[in-house]
Amino acid sequence: MGAVVGTLTMQTKQRRPSRDKADDELEMTMVCHRPEGLDQLEAQTNFTKQELQILYRGFKNECPSGMVNEETFKHIYAQFFPHGGKMLCFHISFMVYFCVADASMYAHYLFNAFDTTNNGSIKFKDFVTGLSILLRGTLREKLEWTFHLYDINRDGYINREEMTEIVRAIYDMMGKYTYPALKGDVPQQHVDAFFQKMDKNKDGVVTLEEFVIACQEDETMMRSMQLFENVM
């Protein structure tokens, strides 16, 4: 999906020759699963109609059928974050530079977060809705989206097992080349720190409100959310 975002960034900075509106609308119908109308998507997201057209062309180039299954999503994600690519990862209360090793498990959870209907595929509407929140949503919307990423079974709570799965997926993605160097017990330490900070009533689970309040009190998490604001 990084190629799609990159396409939008480049093309919004360098205007392409204008196209006839009828041509744009026609292009929107040339896939098996047609997305919602542009006017409706513009009203539901924080993107302009022109930006939605650019995003759609990039989405269609990557996914001609108009839908993305998990394997395709993992393939695209792996291309966007290839082995050895330098990234900056923010996670709750720590920040590290790392080289990506295995992003497949984290991509699995990310796919589930975009697949809001839980039907095993992501349509264009699902994609731009999630992207709109991550890039241009309010702080509350971004935190809610992140909470749902961690809430794997979608029961409205984050338990230790879910947090452990996500944290281990992040560490699998980070690989062995990190700065500072990570020890084998670090994932569990971060899970413990997460619950120490967020599980205010000590009932063994973290609610959405507990998550939002704790994140708003964490400067590192707030900086990580602000990074998205300058992507496009």
Side-chain angles (χ1 to χ4, degrees):
M1 294 304 163
V4 180
V5 178
T7 299
L8 177 60
T9 304
M10 292 177 62
Q11 294 187 9
T12 52
K13 292 180 178 179
Q14 299 178 352
R15 290 184 176 271
R16 297 174 58 179
S18 60
R19 291 161 51 104
D20 185 88
K21 179 179 178 181
D23 291 338
D24 286 324
E25 295 293 345
L26 178 62
E27 184 176 35
M28 294 289 286
T29 67
M30 294 176 60
V31 294
C32 299
H33 300 274
R34 186 171 59 214
E36 302 289 339
L38 283 179
D39 291 336
Q40 185 175 349
L41 285 177
E42 185 178 19
Q44 293 174 343
T45 67
N46 297 310
F47 296 125
T48 66
K49 185 175 294 187
Q50 181 187 21
E51 289 171 334
L52 286 167
Q53 290 170 337
I54 294 170
L55 279 169
Y56 182 70
R57 292 180 193 121
F59 186 89
K60 190 183 73 172
N61 287 339
E62 296 283 354
C63 318
S65 70
M67 301 181 70
V68 183
N69 61 29
E70 184 172 338
E71 290 307 310
T72 302
F73 183 87
K74 286 181 178 180
H75 175 71
I76 295 171
Y77 194 80
Q79 287 183 321
F80 189 40
F81 297 128
H83 177 67
K86 197 176 221 184
M87 297 174 58
L88 182 62
C89 176
F90 290 85
H91 173 61
I92 304 304
S93 60
F94 70 97
M95 175 172 58
V96 293
Y97 288 95
F98 62 89
C99 294
V100 177
D102 181 4
S104 61
M105 186 53 67
Y106 185 72
H108 164 73
Y109 295 121
L110 199 60
F111 175 87
N112 287 343
F114 275 100
D115 179 18
T116 55
T117 58
N118 199 28
N119 65 358
S121 63
I122 300 173
K123 296 181 181 179
F124 180 68
K125 179 182 178 181
D126 302 324
F127 173 65
V128 294
T129 300
L131 199 63
S132 173
I133 292 172
L134 289 174
L135 297 179
R136 296 180 180 173
T138 64
L139 176 60
R140 174 78 187 199
E141 289 172 335
K142 292 176 182 178
L143 290 175
E144 287 183 358
W145 195 95
T146 304
F147 177 88
H148 293 309
L149 170 67
Y150 285 96
D151 180 18
I152 298 173
N153 65 8
R154 302 184 180 182
D155 66 351
Y157 303 93
I158 301 174
N159 59 44
R160 281 184 173 272
E161 291 73 20
E162 290 172 321
M163 177 54 56
T164 300
E165 287 187 39
I166 295 290
V167 171
R168 293 198 180 280
I170 291 173
Y171 277 81
D172 286 344
M173 185 172 65
M174 289 164 61
K176 64 181 180 179
Y177 299 107
T178 60
Y179 182 81
L182 300 176
K183 299 179 180 179
D185 60 346
V186 169
Q188 189 58 51
Q189 290 177 6
H190 281 293
V191 172
D192 293 340
F194 176 92
F195 275 85
Q196 178 68 28
K197 178 179 295 185
M198 298 195 173
D199 185 12
K200 300 296 185 181
N201 62 2
K202 308 303 178 186
D203 63 352
V205 295
V206 174
T207 65
L208 173 61
E209 288 306 315
E210 287 176 325
F211 181 84
V212 170
I213 292 172
C215 287
Q216 288 176 331
E217 295 172 350
D218 190 291
E219 292 184 6
T220 301
M221 176 60 79
M222 292 301 94
R223 287 198 300 270
S224 72
M225 293 294 172
Q226 292 170 2
L227 286 179
F228 290 110
E229 295 177 1
N230 296 320
V231 171
M232 297 196 299

